[in-house]
Amino acid sequence: MTGDLYSVRMRASEGDDHVSGAETLTADPDATAREMVARAVTHSRGDPDEVTVTVERLDAEPDRTPALPVVTVETGSVAAARAVVADLLADAGVDERALAAGRDVLAADTATRGAALLDATDGTRLDPDPERGVRATRMGTAPDAGLDAAVERAGLADTRVRDALVLATKVAAAPGVLAEVCRSDNPDYAAGYCVAGGVYYRFPALSEPGDDRGGRAIFLAPGADPEACVRFLEERPVLVTGARGFERRPPEAGPVADPEDVDAPVADCESTPSG
Ligand code: COA
């Protein structure tokens, strides 16, 4: 029992539409809930008529893990970015049929509430309710993680980058997860990412401006237990303890964090993703 760490989750909606969500693990649920409500009512995506905040005391110690190392990949076009994503996922062991299923999920999805869980071999849908998908929840950053500062020093100052990195770090830690791809369904936000070989590859333009199609596909290794994966994603609290480095490809594309500013070596960023 911790008794003093809480999962605080906020969701804002307008009618039937989900406007925004935020969550973290914290010892100070009061201040955290206030910040989240302030963020909800000023969100660029809509004017919520309902904001729900859930404060839940954890009954178990969270798993602790550093964030995935981040590589920002600059490409000349959205098509080129998607081709790089396909190569990275294939290198990680995602077969052609599963890649095609992932592409369909991302292209068709404008309203799904969660991620599609796909068999990395044949693309079979493994989440119990495909209308809903599976949502990773109960995750956050440790107060001394320095993740916001590290993200800012890497030239990526945006809470969406921090939130996506925390979410992707939890997803990558789930049993059986081989890779993930995510494209925003916010027409004003073109960035997206894939996780392969333990690296978070960020693409500043993975969608054309104005495109509201997006979503998330998680690829499960052959033989993995989908139920165990879903249980972990939905229930296990995970605390991200620090950054593990940021780099850019090609290197001249922009600033990188001062190596002294990050909490762990960046060597993983250099490794080639593999199955
Ligand atoms: N998108 C759309 N609808 C959402 C939603 C989301 N990200 N999160 C919650 N809802 C709606 C759904 O209708 C949901 O009902 P369902 O469980 O039948 O799908 C309802 O709100 C209640 O959801 P619940 O999980 O009880 O919400 P919560 O108060 O615990 O808050 C969030 C959860 C919002 C913090 C969480 O969903 C979230 O956004 N997590 C991070 C992002 C994420 O995992 N995104 C995956 C989408 S691809």
Side-chain angles (χ1 to χ4, degrees):
M1 291 279 284
T2 61
D4 59 359
L5 207 53
Y6 296 79
S7 164
V8 181
R9 306 190 292 278
M10 177 282 295
R11 64 189 151 83
S13 51
E14 189 178 3
D16 288 338
D17 295 334
H18 177 79
V19 175
S20 67
E23 68 172 297
T24 194
L25 305 180
T26 178
D28 186 356
D30 181 23
T32 304
R34 285 167 195 271
E35 279 166 31
M36 284 183 183
V37 172
R39 185 170 154 184
V41 296
T42 56
H43 198 269
S44 65
R45 239 189 133 177
D47 183 17
D49 48 34
E50 196 172 313
V51 177
T52 304
V53 178
T54 302
V55 177
E56 179 187 275
R57 194 175 66 198
L58 300 187
D59 60 6
E61 280 292 332
D63 292 353
R64 291 168 193 270
T65 178
L68 296 167
V70 178
V71 175
T72 295
V73 185
E74 302 281 355
T75 57
S77 67
V78 169
R82 291 183 183 177
V84 175
V85 169
D87 284 348
L88 288 166
L89 294 176
D91 285 349
V94 179
D95 286 355
E96 188 49 49
R97 276 184 297 166
L99 283 177
R103 269 194 291 269
D104 288 349
V105 165
L106 267 53
D109 182 3
T110 53
T112 305
R113 294 164 280 170
L117 203 57
L118 302 175
D119 184 309
T121 308
D122 60 9
T124 304
R125 194 82 191 243
L126 299 171
D127 40 316
D129 178 1
E131 286 295 307
R132 173 180 184 268
V134 55
R135 282 197 305 279
T137 187
R138 296 180 174 80
M139 61 220 163
T141 45
D144 55 355
L147 199 58
D148 283 331
V151 165
E152 193 169 328
R153 282 190 295 267
L156 301 171
D158 190 324
T159 52
R160 286 175 291 202
V161 175
R162 189 263 328 265
D163 291 351
L165 180 56
V166 171
L167 173 62
T169 298
K170 172 163 182 179
V171 170
V177 169
L178 203 57
E180 182 193 358
V181 60
C182 176
R183 224 163 74 195
S184 172
D185 61 359
N186 180 342
D188 301 324
Y189 192 66
Y193 68 83
C194 78
V195 175
V199 177
Y200 178 106
Y201 294 93
R202 178 174 186 272
F203 297 84
L206 200 54
S207 305
E208 300 291 353
D211 192 347
D212 68 352
R213 290 170 301 173
R216 190 183 302 274
I218 298 171
F219 298 95
L220 267 200
D225 175 2
E227 275 180 34
C229 180
V230 171
R231 238 185 350 262
F232 182 100
L233 293 173
E234 294 185 342
E235 294 172 19
R236 179 80 67 88
V238 172
L239 198 59
V240 174
T241 54
R244 282 174 72 202
F246 296 83
E247 68 170 78
R248 284 182 185 259
R249 289 182 192 166
E252 65 275 15
V256 294
D258 182 333
E260 289 182 6
D261 290 341
V262 298
D263 306 321
V266 296
D268 285 9
C269 295
E270 303 295 336
S271 64
T272 307
S274 67

